[in-house]
Amino acid sequence: MFGDEGVELLLQFLSGDSDKFSSGLGYHKLLLSSVNAIWCCVSIVNQDLFLERGGIPILLDLLEKCPPSMQNLVLGALLDLTEDARAVPHVVTWRGKGQKTAVSLLIELWRAEEHAMGVKRDSNHVMTDASVPLQGVEQLQSNVSAHTLSSTPTLAILDVADNMRAKIYAMLYRIGFDK
């Protein structure tokens, strides 16, 4: 773990210039390492300082502007931080580009995930196949049977590991979207 100086340095890296993501200078790796440091180093001891210094809004800003390859990791860190109820108001009051709310951002991410998976929706984002509303093309085209080995993970389990929908749902639940 690290102290106050470490939290300050971590927040400085996380709030860096987003134009450097694809610069080829290793910034992408530094950013990934910084997000990983949240899991490894931000604890009960220094989480208060992380929240006070705007750590949640910085992570939400990062989630809004980072490439899709990083969004799952950033969302996971946010989700873990919101286990502490004191972090939730920081999520609820956040505003991004164009006054976008956290709920709007999460819904955008959900739609992008579904689009990437090939989930069937019409132009109004309404399910077109009520019998399998969340399945993507890969799940629908798979040949999984009852005779599949129990040690082989199902496509549903792999789906949860590969995409962000479970994390998005959990985050929406934590911030009270169901109320």
Side-chain angles (χ1 to χ4, degrees), residues 32-85:
L32 287 173
S33 297
S34 298
V35 173
N36 186 51
I38 293 170
W39 275 310
C40 299
C41 304
V42 175
S43 65
I44 295 171
V45 175
N46 53 15
Q47 186 169 344
D48 287 343
L49 180 64
F50 186 83
L51 294 175
E52 286 173 20
R53 298 284 196 264
I56 298 293
I58 288 171
L59 281 174
L60 285 163
D61 289 342
L62 181 61
L63 182 63
E64 182 180 31
K65 63 187 177 184
C66 73
S69 61
M70 291 181 59
Q71 289 173 333
N72 203 354
L73 182 66
V74 174
L75 186 58
L78 274 165
L79 189 59
D80 281 356
L81 288 167
T82 58
E83 285 182 17
D84 182 343

Side-chain angles (χ1 to χ4, degrees), residues 164-176:
M164 297 185 293
R165 291 187 305 173
K167 290 176 184 170
I168 294 168
Y169 179 83
M171 181 65 83
L172 287 168
Y173 182 80
R174 280 217 181 120
I175 63 176

